[in-house]
Structures are given as C-alpha cells and as structure tokens.
Amino acid sequence: MYEDERYQMLRLIEQSYEHWTSKKLPTPSIMEEERLRWLDEQSPYGLLVQNNNEEPLFIYANKQAQIIFGYSLEEFLSTPSRKSAPPQMQRDRECLLEKVTTQGILMGYHGTRVDKQGMLFEIKNGMIWNLISKSGETIGMAALICKSET
C-alpha cells in the first residue's frame, strides 16, 4: 500500500469516524498532512479496516496495529479479519460486528484477540464503526484498538 493510498484511507477512516461521533480521531494539534502521517506511523492506538467481502480481509493497518498483532503490512493485507480473534471467540466477534452493522458504531468494546504467534491479548476501550464512502455507501468497518497491558 503506497503512502497516497494509506492517506486516502486515513481520510476516509476519519471522515467516517467524524460522521458517527462528530469528532476527529484523537491526535496532537498538528497540521493536516502531519496529522495523517502521525495516525499512520506514530499513533499509540491501532487503526484497522476490513472490507465488506463475504470473507472480509484487512485493507488497512497502521503501524501500531501491526505492532499489536505482529503482522507486517503485507501480511495484514492478505489476512482474513476473522483471524484477529481466536476460534473460541468467533461467535462473540460476529455478534459485535452485527451490532456495528445495525448501529453504525460501537464504542468501549472489550475483547480477546490473537496475534500472529497465536498469543491471546485483550483489547480495551475499542471502537468499531462502519466505513462510509464519499457516495454514502458502507464499504467496510474501521476499528480503533488499544491493547490492555494487564
């Protein structure tokens, strides 16, 4: 994924987030282009996007999401999003995504996830929202995640 494509995706992520929350994604006070670079490369929280395919794939992951899950960007972009949760948590994950589909956004979610090495970890105070194209069509889901240190 090239820099321009990542920044286009980040603009779409933020526009959709703002649609649901009336706020911009949390960042330091910096200029717009630096803001996008910060979200992509320096954010302390992970940002992930999955598409709406029958078997959804990740189509974006910022640097922090890559660190949290242990995947390179190339690996993320070829990974079905269901692999982010352990097999025993798939039904919970499906229910969570169904809520997002109907409500548009889910704030404050917690859940068990699995990294590339198969190690389980907890997400705390996460947010998931429908990703909306410029034409108003839902084209996927975006997530803001923080790994619990406990």
Side-chain angles (χ1 to χ4, degrees):
M1 182 176 265
Y2 296 105
E3 187 172 291
D4 288 345
E5 292 172 332
R6 290 194 321 262
Y7 290 178
Q8 287 174 3
M9 180 61 72
L10 281 165
R11 284 185 190 97
L12 192 57
I13 292 167
E14 187 157 68
Q15 289 166 359
S16 296
Y17 180 82
E18 195 168 1
H19 170 84
W20 297 111
T21 67
S22 301
K23 299 176 187 175
K24 288 190 174 273
L25 288 167
T27 61
S29 303
I30 50 183
M31 296 184 316
E32 182 63 21
E33 285 307 312
E34 288 303 310
R35 175 187 180 78
L36 295 175
R37 182 177 304 281
W38 185 90
L39 285 167
D40 190 46
E41 299 174 5
Q42 298 174 321
S43 171
Y45 53 83
L47 287 172
L48 293 164
V49 176
Q50 71 176 38
N51 61 22
N52 274 349
N53 291 356
E54 189 173 324
E55 170 76 69
L57 296 173
F58 287 115
I59 57 172
Y60 174 79
N62 73 353
K63 189 67 166 175
Q64 186 61 28
Q66 294 169 48
I67 291 168
I68 290 170
F69 282 93
Y71 289 105
S72 69
L73 181 59
E74 293 75 23
E75 290 169 323
F76 249 123
L77 299 182
S78 63
T79 300
S81 62
R82 67 178 161 73
K83 291 195 173 196
S84 65
Q88 66 271 25
M89 302 301 290
Q90 288 297 316
R91 184 66 194 131
D92 290 343
R93 181 181 170 278
E94 289 171 19
C95 289
L96 181 112
L97 296 179
E98 287 171 15
K99 283 183 185 177
V100 175
T101 298
T102 58
Q103 297 173 9
I105 190 169
L106 183 64
M107 302 178 86
Y109 90 89
H110 302 272
T112 302
R113 296 295 174 257
V114 61
D115 69 14
K116 179 181 173 180
Q117 304 302 319
M119 301 297 293
L120 301 180
F121 64 92
E122 295 297 314
I123 296 293
K124 62 174 182 167
N125 298 320
M127 289 183 259
I128 304 174
W129 60 97
N130 285 328
L131 190 67
I132 304 168
S133 70
K134 291 181 181 183
S135 65
E137 177 186 0
T138 299
I139 58 171
M141 287 185 188
L144 183 154
I145 60 169
C146 298
K147 184 177 178 180
S148 177
E149 297 302 321
T150 58

